[in-house]
Amino acid sequence: MQEIKKYVEDNKQRFLDELFVLLRFPSVSADPKYKADVLKTADFVAEKLKEAGADKVEVCETAGYPIIYGEKLIDEKLPTVLIYGHYDVQPADPLELWDTPPFEPTVRDGKIYARGSADDKGQFYMHVKAFELMMQTNTLACNVKFMIEGEEEVGSSNLGIFVKDNAERLKADVVLISDTSMISMENPSIETGLRGLAYMEVEVVGPNRDLHSGVYGGAVANPATILCKMIASLHDENNHITIPEFYDKVIELTEEEKAALNSAPFELDAYKKDLGIDAEWGEKGYSTLERTGTRPTLEVNGIWSGYIGEGAKTVLPSKANAKISMRLVPHQSSEEIAAIFQKHFESIAPEFVKVKVMSHHGGEPVVTPTDSTAYRAAEKAILDSFGKKPIPTRGGGSIPIVALFEDVLGIKSVLFGFGLDSDALHSPNEKYDIYNYYKGIETLPLFHKYFAELSK
């Protein structure tokens, strides 16, 4: 541990400077205008993997953005760790809510504010620097493979094809992922499950053009009003989702499982204060930790219609749109949920509008074992680094490729994240603590050490 700490201390400014270069690339995969920047980011990642000591580093072309592959195979008798991450980021909008420019990393109170700082550039780059550390100190204990993609924020549609086409090349004993969070640095944790995702878009169409709201208002159905009513009907008075068959495959936690989940440190008052809300909201009969980790949800991610520019324009809009995501729990299928959502949404449309439902992308929920060699190695690494045994938790987010790795490669993942839930992922002023960044670089080599030892 002292050798690790010394290497980090001797190189900490360079580690930070390199991360800042990475964060300055506006690698927004959802917006085609950033295509050149996304490709530059891929090249930068490949270059840094080579500099760190990886062999066979390749910028692998796909139908979308490239996947960066690299490896260091030191002994076929040793276990192999496949490291996954993503270099693409969410759009930075709304820009006016950022305190500093989203692609100009800024340090305030020991935190790096920038889009992608925690999700996932700051986190996957810890692995690159930890790998460099192990190479430079001759302490690499496992074979290592890297697979860093550029389309995670838009559904990873080409990753599945790449994994299936390269199953032999990607053979490993575990997938190591840092794209999740801990409870806190004082209460380290490891996520042992993720929710799945079904992401939809809906369109409600009324008249064949925008109309004068005085001339036609009250005589023609307003698509914006109808859409709002339809969306509002998707939850009942107990905030329970009203779509038929939605809960058919959801299994309730046992009392023991609930008690274990709710034993994790959580302060509701601090939670509300951090979010600037006066009260929590959610499905009746469940705690906040249960709602965010083990219950399915339906949320509106965006809604638009009519005139939203400066000043006034009195129109009755021709159409209204919304984007809706549903987080899923074990045994729910993203395809099945997308299908029943479409069937239900179309069925509740009144006759005076037309409705179109589109499915964008999805992913399956996963639960990772806490008795595996890899989990025990992560547990020992955190115990060494933090001086505390990690708490197993359930994550509310989705990483669709975790289920893909199990299905295609037949290997489980360890969700070894060092972010915090308060890092404002996907929001303005996303941040990542510098302390967490360095702590990850210190802890990851210990995982490799213990994984090799426990695999014997």
Side-chain angles (χ1 to χ4, degrees), residues 61-369:
E61 300 299 328
T62 73
Y65 288 117
I67 293 166
I68 311 306
Y69 177 83
E71 64 182 32
K72 190 66 179 182
L73 308 180
I74 54 177
D75 189 337
E76 62 181 13
K77 296 176 183 178
L78 292 173
T80 299
V81 177
L82 174 61
I83 296 167
Y84 166 84
H86 65 93
Y87 62 84
D88 65 320
V89 300
Q90 282 275 317
D93 307 76
L95 296 176
E96 67 273 12
L97 296 184
W98 285 80
D99 294 333
T100 50
F103 296 106
E104 184 49 56
T106 305
V107 175
R108 297 196 300 274
D109 300 322
K111 301 169 179 60
I112 308 164
Y113 286 86
R115 172 58 86 228
S117 54
D119 182 20
D120 178 45
K121 289 178 177 178
Q123 295 217 62
F124 92 73
Y125 204 65
M126 296 184 310
H127 289 270
V128 179
K129 295 297 96 179
F131 172 65
E132 174 197 308
L133 183 157
M134 292 184 286
M135 290 294 293
Q136 291 298 316
T137 57
N138 197 30
T139 55
L140 185 62
C142 299
N143 299 310
V144 177
K145 297 178 179 179
F146 287 89
M147 180 172 60
I148 314 297
E149 70 154 321
E151 297 181 313
E152 195 273 345
E153 300 293 5
V154 289
S156 301
S157 58
N158 290 296
L159 186 70
I161 299 169
F162 179 83
V163 171
K164 290 171 185 174
D165 290 347
N166 292 273
E168 186 66 28
R169 185 186 198 183
L170 296 171
K171 267 188 172 181
D173 297 285
V174 67
V175 183
L176 192 59
I177 302 173
S178 294
D179 194 13
T180 52
S181 61
M182 287 188 175
I183 296 171
S184 67
M185 291 296 99
E186 296 74 33
N187 296 290
S189 58
I190 300 175
E191 290 192 359
T192 61
L194 294 166
R195 292 191 288 191
L197 175 69
Y199 194 91
M200 315 296 292
E201 183 172 338
V202 298
E203 181 176 81
V204 174
V205 179
N208 59 9
R209 63 188 186 277
D210 285 357
L211 303 177
H212 188 292
S213 65
V215 175
Y216 292 96
V220 178
N222 186 318
T225 303
I226 301 301
L227 174 61
C228 290
K229 288 184 176 182
M230 292 174 70
I231 289 174
S233 76
L234 298 177
H235 290 90
D236 65 16
E237 67 278 6
N238 294 317
N239 300 322
H240 195 80
I241 296 164
T242 57
I243 300 171
E245 303 176 47
F246 187 86
Y247 292 98
D248 282 4
K249 294 185 178 179
V250 176
I251 297 175
E252 293 284 344
L253 295 182
T254 65
E255 290 304 314
E256 292 78 11
E257 289 171 328
K258 284 187 177 183
L261 180 69
N262 288 301
S263 67
F266 176 75
E267 295 182 14
L268 182 57
D269 288 341
Y271 182 80
K272 291 188 291 186
K273 182 179 179 181
D274 175 59
L275 298 176
I277 58 175
D278 294 326
E280 58 180 335
W281 182 96
E283 191 179 3
K284 187 176 180 180
Y286 297 92
S287 71
T288 299
L289 294 179
E290 290 168 27
R291 291 167 181 159
T292 56
T294 67
R295 296 297 294 170
T297 63
L298 183 153
E299 300 292 347
V300 177
N301 304 128
I303 185 167
W304 64 98
S305 181
Y307 180 71
I308 56 173
E310 294 292 331
K313 183 182 181 185
T314 52
V315 296
L316 189 158
S318 169
K319 63 181 181 179
N321 299 73
K323 293 187 178 182
I324 296 171
S325 64
M326 291 164 284
R327 300 289 175 169
L328 314 177
V329 297
H331 305 295
Q332 287 185 303
S333 157
S334 62
E335 286 189 8
E336 289 178 3
I337 293 298
I340 66 172
F341 174 89
Q342 179 170 352
K343 179 182 176 182
H344 177 70
F345 204 79
E346 290 173 346
S347 74
I348 62 174
E351 61 182 353
F352 28 81
V353 295
K354 295 182 282 293
V355 167
K356 181 179 179 181
V357 180
M358 298 152 280
S359 177
H360 280 296
H361 60 266
E364 308 315 311
V366 292
V367 175
T368 61

